[in-house]
Amino acid sequence: MTSNKATADVGSTPSHEAYVRMLYQTVLGREPDEEGLRHHVSALQRGVDPMQVMADFANSAERREIVMHGILHKKQGRQTAASLAEVDLEFILDASRERFNDIQFFKRLSEEKISAATPRKIRNIAVYYWRMNNGGTERVTARQIQIWRKMGYNVILITDQAPDPLNDYEYGEDVPRFIIPERMMANNNYRPRGRALADILTQEKIDLFITNQWYEISSIWDILVAKSLGIGTVLGWHNSFDAGINSVDDLSLAYLRFLGYKNADLVGVLSNVDKAWFDTWGVPAKLVHNPLTFEHLPKETAPLDGKTLIWVARAERHQKRIDQVLQMFPLVLAEMPDARLVIVGGGPDLDWAREYVDALGIAGNVHFTGYQKNVSKYIAQASVHVMTSEFEGYPMVLGEVWAHGVPTILFDLPHLEYLRREKGHIVVPQGAIEDMAKEAVKLLKDVDERRRLGAEARRVVEDIVAQDVGAAWKQIFDQFEIGDVRGNNSVPLNDLKSMQILLGMLSQKMMSFNRGNFPDPAPLPILPSAARRHPPKRRSTRFAVKAFEQVSKPYKWLGRSLRNQLIPDHRLRMIDLSHVGLGDNMMLWAGLYALLSNGVEICAPGCAIHVQPILGDLAARFFEPFGLKIHRGRPPEHISPIFTPMPPENSKQWWGTYIGRDWYMNWVEALDQQKTFPRNGADLSFAGRVRLAVSERLLYHRNNWAEATPGYIGYRVWLPLALKNGIYPLTFMAQIKRSLKEMRQIFAEFVDASTLESERTRYSGNAAFPTGKSFQTISPQFYKALNIALGGDFFTCYIQNDSAWWQSYETSGVEAKSLPNLMETFRIIKYADNLLTTDSFTSHIAQFLRDDFVLVLSRDMKEGILHPGANPTIMANHPACAPCNYQERYHFNHCVAGYEYCTAFQSSELLDGIIRHFRD
């Protein structure tokens, strides 16, 4: 409209009101409303240029709506002059302002359909995805670029994120990459993004635009921008057809997507079920398999000979359900304590997952690799792959793990093309973590079955590799060149099986909208970091707390910096247990193993552990898997940082313990002070008392030795290091209890590996180990009375011939056997039908091998010597002088209280109790 036309309708000098009425009638096609009329007349009266007022009318939202209707609707039985082929870029960008997520707009648009792309020779392809790392679609996009370039096409990459050379998947260093404003779900001003995209497509003379971003609403507008330029478009739908529809509220968004994507020339789908869905919407769709992430299959498959589960995905709770694999794994550990879970992938919930693993107490069995560009090295070491995704389109990880011959256990995803052959995998219902755990245990225990499934999985991938993905894309490109891409791909799929799966999934989805049919899953536990901490009620107190936190921040930072510079690594380089007895060694092992098996990094790589020489082979079984170096006997010198239960002896050790990073634990003096009789040779010097006081304060955080409480040695001596590493006492106790099952399994396998199955019956029968090195020994008279009451030869008595008690038993007429080596002791304790032992080294062996034995206690309490996870039958009689201090029979003929044998064994009640147990 020109100014001459405007004035001609009302005369040469119209009044302000007449001028405004004319604009309403000619521009907007209606009579003015009172408010609008008053507003514009007032503007003219203030001196606003009439041309500016007319421009405001022409650019108004109401006028754009009229123009849009003129383009999209028939009027009076005929099509308006404007056709959709004339929808230009400016129209699209303007429409995005007000119609970004307007279903009615897209409905009208899809009813008419924007014109198909102009047929042209396909030379230059632009592919879009928002980033190029840490995800399956990202890896697919990288492989597509490589394949298309190999086919001879020029390819450019468009992303939201800038290149990340360390983490981006390789797609070609010389591939031009362009960055545009970020994708969006809501109307956050699409115009800059659309303008940038249009400029790139135009400047690079793009013939075909492919977007692999299916979820965001901005993808619809990206397609419209390309179509407005006459460029063909392909949408890669990289998920299942119903992804993102989780409630009734999601249906309108899904409807908007489908309406918008009708304007694409083609939708690439990943399964026949997805094609069946898009067919029902009249959207041209074609099944195009995603390329595998490698050009050639690995020559060797995984040996599958371990007990390692692997989970490979983006670390998130939403789609990939990392929470469910972590909830499932403790159920596996209940049956297989030595199983491992490797979590490969980074993501938004990785830190949450690490904390959840710590809270579950399974950190020692779970390894997080973080984000990895190359996952093959982890897959090659796995035995079974588990996948907990709630929905997937074409999971790349299946191709990767199956290429290595690793079978999969997964939640049911019936539409996946990988699963249509029903080979190489085990399916359990969605969310059924108990079923998944049971199947995982079965496979981990049955190497033949997992190798059979693994071989099937490999053959499936070999068949997929034989399909030429490049040829499928070449067919699509050729169809664009002749302008028949829609026609060739609009034929409905005639696949009854896919339709049945589609209907089943839709029915399940609709029923899930009723929470009565599908109640919400149990909420995830609240982790310590998320626990709500109530602030002080008084405002002044809250202010004081905040002020203190702010003031203390620089001091805390300074303290951490100084510690890191002065003491850069607190991890132990040496553990010296060579000075303590055999039974004490094993108790100390329990605490160390619990920390290591729960992933607590207390030991530096190559840490040396010195043990009693006779225990070296067994120690290797327990600790070499954690990287510790086993040494038999005492070290020539101490290496800092060091842990030893012994007290510091010189100024260097004092300094290293109380100021530096050493741990000389002074393990017995506090409790020895509380016992009824002092230990012979105890250090009662002033320096010794000072050392004890400082140890109590700095190592054990007690005011003095009087506050020390009885406790299992493996717990109380390692507790200060556990606290140092953020492990609470209750948690540490639970870790020790749980780890016993795994230690028993390792110990039992160690004994079984050294004993032929045909020879194990030699060690059956009833065995008694009545003596120890100290005065907890059962007296010969008590033992004889017990054996006679049970038939005279019920027990075989085992005492080493170099024991200080051998002669007294021999002179009392008790026939005892001496064992030639420690392995024979292990065998008898493991395979005996009935077992009796006193508090001695043999009792600790028994605790690490079984629960069905009788432990007789006298001078010591069970709190100090019984493993927290062990559950033997305890027969105890503690005399009034108990607990007395330890004193070896080798050096003294009487205990510290002056008796040749502990008075506990004068009790007929104790004797009768043991007799009743074995008779029953």
Side-chain angles (χ1 to χ4, degrees), residues 69 145 200 279 412 509 589 775 805:
H69 276 67
I145 293 172
I200 294 168
D279 285 345
D412 193 14
K509 181 71 70 172
W589 291 2
F775 288 84
W805 300 104

Side-chain angles (χ1 to χ4, degrees), residues 26-28 57-68:
T26 57
V27 178
L28 302 183
F57 270 80
N59 294 324
S60 68
E62 187 174 351
R63 174 60 183 174
R64 288 199 302 272
E65 177 72 9
I66 293 171
V67 173
M68 202 172 300

Side-chain angles (χ1 to χ4, degrees), residues 589 611-621 630-632:
W589 291 2
V611 299
Q612 292 275 9
I614 198 173
L615 295 177
D617 291 342
L618 181 59
R621 285 297 185 103
I630 311 302
H631 296 269
R632 295 162 173 79

